[in-house]
Amino acid sequence: MKQYDYLIVGSGLFGATFAYRAKQLGKKVLVIDKRPHLGGNVYCEKMEGINVHKYGAHIFHTNSKKVWDFVNSLVEFNRYTNCPIANYKGELYNLPFNMNTFNRMWPEVHTPIQAQAKIDEQKAEAVASLKGRKPRNLEEQALCLVGKDIFKKLIKEYTEKQWGRDCKDLPAFIIKRLPVRMVFDNNYFNDCYQGIPIGGYNKLIEALLDGVECITEVDFFKSKYKTWKKYADKLVYTGPIDEYFGYKLGKLDWRTVIFKTRVEGTPNYQGNAVINYTSHNEPYTRIIEHKHFEMFGQEVYDSPKTVLSEEYSTEYKEGMEPYYPVNDERNNALAEEYRKLSLHEDNVIFGGRLGQYKYYDMAPIIEQVLSIQL
Ligand code: FAD
C-alpha cells in the first residue's frame, strides 16, 4: 500500500483544485510546493492590512456558471470590476477602447457613428500606405486595425515596453484583433461573472486545501519525492514541463515581470487599481494600487496607507519567475515535443500553465480540473 493516492507538485490553482476534488472523493493526497507559501501565483501578502498580489494583479472573471458556482461555494466574491485607465504623458484614457476613450481622444466625437467614421478614416489611410501588401510588422498591423491616433497614444510605446523591442521589429501576428467598443462601457472583461474573493485569494486557496496535507519549501527535484512512485500511485505535476524532462530537448523561454512594491503614506494614490503607462516617459508598464481590488468608498480612506506595485516587463533569466510562455515558432514546436513525451509518462498528469506551457487565466484552469476524470 502506498502512502498516497496522489502526490501533487505545486499548490497553485491547478494543484489546489485537484487536491480539493481528490479529497472529496476520499483519496489520500500530499501537496508539495517549493515556495514558502501555498497558492502559486494567486498568493497574496498582507502589507498595511492590504492584500498585495505578490505575483501580479489577479482578477477573477469567467463566463462559466459551473466555475463561478464552484468558487462561490468556497468563498464569497466582491463586486470588483476591472476598469483600467491609460496614462499617456498625463492624458488619461479609459480602457478597453470604448466611446469614453474616443471622446477623450477626439473631443468632436460624441456618437458611435462619428467614432467609427474617425477610426475607419485612419484605418483606410494606413491600408492605403501599404499599397496592396500585407502588414509586415506589429506597427503596420495595429495601424490597419485602429489607425494612427490610438496606435500612437495607447499601443506603440506600451507594447515596446512590454516586449523590449520597437513595434516595427515585432511580428504582426502578435496583434490579431484590437477590439473597439462603440458603447460607453469601461468594463475590461466581457464575461458575465467577475470579482475578487472577499478576504483575498488566500481564502480561496485555504478553502481548497482545507484538510489536505501540504508541505512548503520542498522542491520536487531536490527531494525524496522525486522517486514519487515509492509514495503515491499517481503524480500531478504543475511545474515547468521542460524541467520535468531534465531539459533534454532544450529549454523553453519565458517572459517575466519584475514588481517594485512600495508603501505610500496616503489613502488613495491613483484612484484606481490598474493604471497603464503608455508612453516611454515611465519605464514601467503599469502601476497597481492593490487596495482598490478589495476596498470601496469610505473603506479606502479608513486605511491611511496604500501599497503600489510598478510592473516592469522583462526578459526571463535563470532564477526569475517564469510567467508567460513565449508564443513563437521555436517555443511552440519545442513545447509540442515535450507534450508528446508527457503522453508516455504513465500515471502522471501534467497540469497548469507551467506543466502545459500555455497561458491560462484562472477560470479555465479550474474548469480543466473540474472536468478531469479522477
Ligand atoms: P501556478 O500558480 O504558477 O502554480 C504552480 C506552482 O508549482 C507554484 O506554486 C510553484 O512554486 C510550484 N512548483 C513549480 N515547480 C515546482 C517544483 N519543482 N517543486 C515544487 N513546487 C513547484 N488569470 C486570471 O484569470 N486573471 C488575471 O488577472 C490574471 N493575472 C495574471 C497576472 C500574471 C502576472 C500572471 C503570470 C498570470 C495571471 N493570471 C491571471 C493567470 C493565473 O495566474 C493562472 O491561471 C494560475 O495561477 C495558474 O495556476 P497554476 O496552478 O497552473 O500555476
Side-chain angles (χ1 to χ4, degrees), residues 201-215:
Y201 284 95
N202 296 1
K203 295 272 178 220
L204 176 61
I205 295 294
E206 280 162 24
L208 287 168
L209 292 175
D210 186 29
V212 174
E213 188 179 343
C214 300
I215 318 178

Side-chain angles (χ1 to χ4, degrees), residues 9-15 32-35 39-42 55-61 218-221 238-240 243 259 323-324 352-354 359-363 365:
V9 177
S11 64
L13 272 181
F14 193 100
I32 60 169
D33 202 297
K34 64 181 179 184
R35 290 180 179 167
N41 282 355
V42 305
Y55 301 96
H58 277 73
I59 299 128
F60 199 94
H61 59 99
V218 175
D219 186 326
F220 175 63
F221 298 107
T238 72
E243 189 176 7
F259 304 103
Y323 281 138
Y324 301 106
R353 58 184 192 97
L354 302 167
Y359 178 83
Y360 291 108
D361 274 334
M362 293 179 275
I365 288 279

